[in-house]
Amino acid sequence: MYHLSSLKQVGLFITFEGIEGCGKTTQIKLLAPWLKERGHSVCVTYEPGGTLLGQEIRKILLSPNFSPAKETELLLYLAERAEHVEKVIRPGLEESKIVLCDRYHDSTLAYQGYGRGLEFEWVNNLFKQLKWPKPDLTFLLDCPVEVGFKRLRGRSLDRIEGEKMAFHQRVREGFLSLAQMEPERIKVIDATQSIENIQIQIREWIKQYGL
Ligand SMILES: Nc1ncnc2c1ncn2[C@@H]1O[C@H](COP(=O)(O)OP(=O)(O)OP(=O)(O)O)[C@@H](O)[C@H]1O
Ligand SMILES: [Mg+2]
């Protein structure tokens, strides 16, 4: 359990979620130096791929050469997360760092649950049974699927990004449902705004946590 009081003594786990191209990586890159300037020790990481083993699993997951069954895909993501939690996230929190993670379990619920159609409770129970750290705060950068994809124009699409629009639409709606279930933790930010405005809102939320 990571308490929100006396933040410099215990870690804080902040995740960034949302569909492709919503701006997760952009916002983390702006936030990390600001937190460091304010005297915090920060760990920036991402999924899938925040460890050496995870990078190999990421290659399998995103390769157009495979079309794994949805159960296989889920378990590959969870295997990647197991390595990431034990090697990066948990140690970071135990060292009292602010861990900024680009995608985490909400992505699994949105993509494998709402997107692929695996049963939500089953996926969520796996997470609970594994006893992985739950984020203290999550920013859901929400924008229409078309807006996200327009921003990725010019980048070659990986296997997941290449899925049909209807899939990404379900994922977006899935994220929004998750935010409704946990409004205290998941802050929805309109990601069609300018990069600067989004960053201002993120910093405002973070200041409310005393950082
Ligand atoms: N609010 C914004 N307005 C306009 N362009 C943006 C905004 N946020 C990010 N971008 C641009 O959109 C592109 C995608 O942003 P970014 O890589 O941060 O998204 P992402 O959510 O990390 O995507 P992915 O899920 O593919 O990793 C980048 O070129 C970035 O500069
Ligand atoms: Mg990114």
Side-chain angles (χ1 to χ4, degrees), residues 5-61:
S5 54
S6 63
L7 287 169
K8 292 196 178 173
Q9 283 75 53
V10 295
L12 192 77
F13 187 20
I14 304 176
T15 57
F16 291 74
E17 299 281 9
I19 59 164
E20 271 79 9
C22 66
K24 301 176 291 298
T25 308
T26 303
Q27 294 300 330
I28 290 177
K29 278 190 187 149
L30 292 169
L31 185 64
W34 179 78
L35 285 169
K36 284 179 194 162
E37 273 166 30
R38 290 167 80 87
H40 300 289
S41 181
V42 180
C43 165
V44 174
T45 190
Y46 66 101
E47 290 195 357
T51 60
L52 274 179
L53 178 61
Q55 283 167 25
E56 295 304 310
I57 297 177
R58 179 189 179 94
K59 283 185 206 157
I60 296 171
L61 277 164

Side-chain angles (χ1 to χ4, degrees), residues 4 11 15 31 67 101 104 114 124 140 142 176 201:
L4 296 180
T15 57
L31 185 64
S67 47
C101 189
Y104 189 61
Y114 291 94
N124 213 20
L140 170 56
D142 176 62
L176 289 170
Q201 284 165 37

Side-chain angles (χ1 to χ4, degrees), residues 18-27 102-103 151-152 155 161 191-195 198:
I19 59 164
E20 271 79 9
C22 66
K24 301 176 291 298
T25 308
T26 303
Q27 294 300 330
D102 194 334
R103 293 196 183 281
R151 290 181 187 164
L152 296 183
R155 216 195 264 182
E161 288 166 348
T192 63
Q193 302 174 91
S194 70
I195 291 173
I198 295 169

